[in-house]
Amino acid sequence: KGQDLQKWRLFREQLDQCPYCQQALVIDRMFEAGYSQIYHALPYSRSFDDSMNNKVVVHTKCNQDKGNRTPYEMFDGANDGERWQRFEAWVQGNKSIRQAKRNRLLRVNFGVEESSEFRDRNLNDTRYICREFKRMVETDLAWHADSNGAERCIVLSGQLTSLLRARWGLVKVRADGDLHHALDAAVIAATSRGLVKRMSDYSRRNEMSMVRDQYIDPTSGEILNVEKLRQIEEDFPKPWTHFRNELLGHLSTDPATNLGALPGYGAGREILPVRVSRAPTRRGLGAAHQETIRSIRTGSQSAVKTPLAALTLKDLENIAGYDRDTALIEAIRTRLEAFGGDGKKAFDDRQPLLRKPSKDPARAPVIRSVKLLSVQKSGIPIRGGIASNGAMLRVDIFTKDGKYHAVPVYVADTVKAELPNRGVVAYKPEEEWTLMNDSHEFLFSLYPNDCVTIRLKGEVKEGYFSGLDRATGAVSLWIHDRNQTIGKDGQWRGVGIKTALAVEKYHVDLLGKLHRVHGELRQPIFPHKT
């Protein structure tokens, strides 16, 4: 477990010794209950420092009565007592201890002011972007007239939010989607100054768990009633009673059911699921065409140079010269069949080179690639050849006679008007072209990350538009939170729209609320022309 791993690391760093008594820590007993404990050099209740630089592993008996004191306070460092001298010599003599940790172990001044400063530093994330954003929030937002005090915005460190998530039983699994950002936001919003004070009291109670008699608080000098202190709630403080269940209920796919039994969530209250809001990409970014330029053959065929390692048995009939160069085709087939049709294994660098069949094999040329023929339904003429379309800018949705058609618009369409078949055709599942004319009604354009709902017979697919299959006309949608346990890689793939009952587009505001788009004006394909 994590606690045992920490004990092991500290045990090795301390050279198998307890820093409080300088006696050996027995490795065979390290993980026995009651033999050793991990404690903070600067008490957690006064520093909120849970880093390894503030931790030591000590004998449990050596830690008794330490309470929430520092080593300097515990070993009578103010009077330069014998125990303090031995402890200081041990720390300075152990070269395995980092300087940052040595500074904490030998810290002298740690009163109210110093501990408050140290605690605030460990609460706040001091990276530049956090400080700058905090400044913008406090400077540029209109605050309520009753709001006073300079610290209107509090920045919490990632270490603190991680601690709170763990203590409140909130597991953060990134593969479950982007809703973990909402979980973090709720944790941060619930961490008030009052909660931080309760956390400090809770930590102090734990630190005082073995103190038996009256105890003088090192920060205030007052005599503490240990028994009264132990009456502080034993459970780690929560923002409110049902905080965890309420938060997980809101983040579930069916919050109305999961929250129905909680106080304040009676019948008649509308509870909507949390929705991730994404910004659509409407800029024409990306390559105009793909890098591979195919040579143009008869009809609509094109040929592309393909390495032998990329071949499979199904590709043999598409090799240029299949009917003529039968000896070469058979040589490739024999090699592939010997490796189960796996071209990577068949033509690996460790295998013998494949030479063109000849009467003198030693002088025959080495074959490393062939030209594969394929049907080229669309593309861009480039330097006497043809290249496949590059990045898709948007997809225009039309309707006619209760059916829907998708027209892809590419980056190349916006810069070159003379290219054929640009933005005037839609794909059918039969891979035929459908000509758009005045009888087709334009509905709207779908850009990457536009929110769309597709209502099919018996099911509804909802998400953010991610792409169009140019062969079938089916679209792919990102699940709103990109949950990788749903769909494939967080997407709904192959969603057919031609026979859909309805295709609807929505705008999503910053709070995740949906606003139906009832009509759009189709933007020109060539922006530089009227």
Side-chain angles (χ1 to χ4, degrees):
K1 296 181 180 179
Q3 184 99 351
D4 291 341
L5 289 173
Q6 281 195 359
K7 276 188 178 182
W8 171 253
R9 286 179 58 191
L10 294 170
F11 171 80
R12 299 303 299 163
E13 182 183 68
Q14 295 168 194
L15 304 179
D16 310 359
Q17 288 182 313
C18 170
Y20 288 179
C21 66
Q22 293 86 52
Q23 300 298 314
L25 288 164
V26 181
I27 185 59
D28 293 336
R29 301 188 60 195
M30 275 294 295
F31 307 115
E32 280 184 17
Y35 176 73
S36 64
Q37 290 179 325
I38 293 177
Y39 261 81
H40 298 89
L42 300 180
Y44 184 78
S45 63
R46 296 165 61 189
S47 68
F48 282 161
D49 184 359
D50 196 43
S51 68
M52 290 296 286
N53 283 333
N54 195 39
K55 291 180 179 179
V56 290
V57 60
V58 300
H59 292 116
T60 300
K61 61 181 179 62
C62 292
N63 198 59
Q64 290 177 349
D65 291 339
K66 174 182 180 293
N68 66 333
R69 292 181 291 181
T70 67
Y72 182 81
E73 295 162 347
M74 180 174 60
F75 296 142
D76 194 22
N79 295 317
D80 199 24
E82 180 185 353
R83 292 188 65 191
W84 170 251
Q85 291 180 12
R86 292 205 315 265
F87 176 77
E88 184 178 26
W90 182 89
V91 173
Q92 296 290 12
N94 189 339
K95 302 305 179 184
S96 298
I97 297 178
R98 298 175 295 278
Q99 185 62 46
K101 187 168 197 171
R102 189 174 288 120
N103 293 341
R104 287 165 171 79
L105 290 168
L106 300 179
R107 178 85 183 229
V108 173
N109 297 317
F110 202 63
V112 176
E113 184 176 344
E114 291 83 5
S115 62
S116 176
E117 178 186 345
F118 209 91
R119 193 162 52 231
D120 287 343
R121 188 160 63 246
N122 284 298
L123 277 176
N124 294 340
D125 195 326
T126 57
R127 287 178 299 178
Y128 170 78
I129 189 63
C130 290
R131 293 201 308 270
E132 182 62 18
F133 188 76
K134 170 182 167 68
R135 184 197 64 78
M136 290 172 57
V137 167
E138 293 183 334
T139 303
D140 299 333
L141 291 188
W143 295 90
H144 192 273
D146 293 339
S147 177
N148 50 29
E151 198 169 28
R152 292 167 168 152
C153 175
I154 301 173
V155 182
L156 300 183
S157 70
Q159 187 181 44
L160 179 64
T161 54
S162 177
L163 169 70
L164 292 175
R165 281 198 312 268
R167 289 301 190 101
W168 291 335
L170 300 170
V171 180
K172 181 175 176 178
V173 183
R174 297 180 186 274
D176 288 348
D178 292 339
L179 286 179
H180 65 82
H181 295 300
L183 186 147
D184 278 342
V187 169
I188 292 171
T191 309
S192 64
R193 281 292 183 185
L195 180 65
V196 171
K197 173 65 167 59
R198 290 172 57 200
M199 287 169 54
S200 177
D201 291 342
Y202 171 86
S203 300
R204 185 166 61 154
R205 175 195 178 280
N206 288 346
E207 291 163 353
M208 304 285 285
S209 60
M210 291 185 296
V211 176
R212 291 158 295 197
D213 303 317
Q214 286 189 333
Y215 182 85
I216 299 177
D217 189 335
T219 60
S220 63
E222 65 176 317
I223 298 177
L224 297 180
N225 186 322
V226 176
E227 289 300 324
K228 187 175 181 179
L229 183 64
R230 285 173 182 162
Q231 294 175 6
I232 297 176
E233 58 184 310
E234 294 189 10
D235 293 332
F236 190 81
K238 308 177 187 66
W240 55 85
T241 304
H242 301 289
F243 172 75
R244 179 180 182 275
N245 292 336
E246 190 172 351
L247 175 55
L248 294 181
H250 276 291
L251 295 178
S252 68
T253 55
D254 188 8
T257 300
N258 292 316
L259 295 171
L262 295 180
Y265 290 91
R269 178 174 174 180
E270 183 182 20
I271 307 172
L272 299 176
V274 176
R275 181 186 305 277
V276 176
S277 178
R278 302 187 184 279
T281 303
R282 296 192 171 92
R283 295 175 293 170
L285 302 177
H289 62 83
Q290 295 183 7
E291 293 182 0
T292 302
I293 301 175
R294 306 168 183 257
S295 59
I296 301 176
R297 298 287 175 129
T298 58
S300 60
Q301 282 191 328
S302 63
V304 60
K305 191 175 181 180
T306 305
L308 294 178
L311 295 179
T312 65
L313 289 170
K314 294 180 180 180
D315 295 324
L316 297 181
E317 294 183 0
N318 296 323
I319 295 177
Y322 174 79
D323 297 329
R324 302 188 309 273
D325 210 344
T326 56
L328 175 61
I329 299 299
E330 286 305 313
I332 297 174
R333 186 193 306 277
T334 301
R335 179 72 69 87
L336 284 171
E337 289 177 345
F339 290 87
D342 189 336
K344 289 184 179 179
K345 295 180 180 178
F347 301 103
D348 187 85
D349 292 339
R350 293 168 291 183
Q351 301 301 326
L353 295 174
L354 181 69
R355 294 183 180 271
K356 187 172 183 179
S358 171
K359 294 180 180 179
D360 187 1
R363 293 193 168 191
V366 176
I367 305 298
R368 290 187 171 85
S369 62
V370 294
K371 288 189 175 182
L372 283 184
L373 299 176
S374 63
V375 177
Q376 187 79 21
K377 286 189 171 292
S378 64
I380 301 174
I382 300 291
R383 297 194 295 274
I386 188 168
S388 296
N389 288 301
M392 192 179 294
L393 175 61
R394 72 177 197 243
V395 172
D396 292 343
I397 304 298
F398 291 82
T399 185
K400 180 181 179 181
D401 300 330
K403 295 184 177 181
Y404 295 90
H405 304 273
V407 176
V409 178
Y410 297 91
V411 171
D413 294 329
T414 65
V415 296
K416 198 168 184 181
E418 62 270 20
L419 297 177
N421 296 333
R422 313 310 295 174
V424 295
V425 292
Y427 291 99
K428 291 176 61 178
E430 297 82 8
E431 300 185 7
E432 299 173 355
W433 296 95
T434 299
L435 182 65
M436 296 292 103
N437 53 42
D438 292 340
S439 66
H440 292 80
E441 178 188 0
F442 171 74
L443 297 178
F444 44 74
S445 296
L446 291 178
Y447 290 85
N449 280 343
D450 266 333
C451 182
V452 60
T453 296
I454 301 176
R455 305 186 186 278
L456 306 168
K457 293 180 180 178
E459 62 177 338
V460 176
K461 298 293 186 184
E462 179 185 288
Y464 290 101
F465 177 70
S466 63
L468 174 75
D469 188 324
R470 290 174 283 191
T472 65
V475 300
S476 294
L477 306 177
W478 285 110
I479 297 167
H480 80 100
D481 61 347
R482 301 196 177 183
N483 191 323
Q484 297 181 26
T485 64
I486 304 176
K488 184 178 181 181
D489 300 327
Q491 294 189 71
W492 303 118
R493 297 182 183 272
V495 182
I497 68 168
K498 189 171 183 63
T499 59
L501 301 179
V503 180
E504 303 165 352
K505 177 180 176 179
Y506 292 86
H507 289 310
V508 186
D509 63 23
L510 292 175
L511 298 180
K513 296 180 180 179
L514 298 180
H515 306 274
R516 173 81 181 274
V517 175
H518 293 283
E520 277 187 354
L521 179 65
R522 191 186 189 204
Q523 297 301 308
I525 295 178
F526 312 112
H528 58 281
K529 293 190 175 185
T530 58

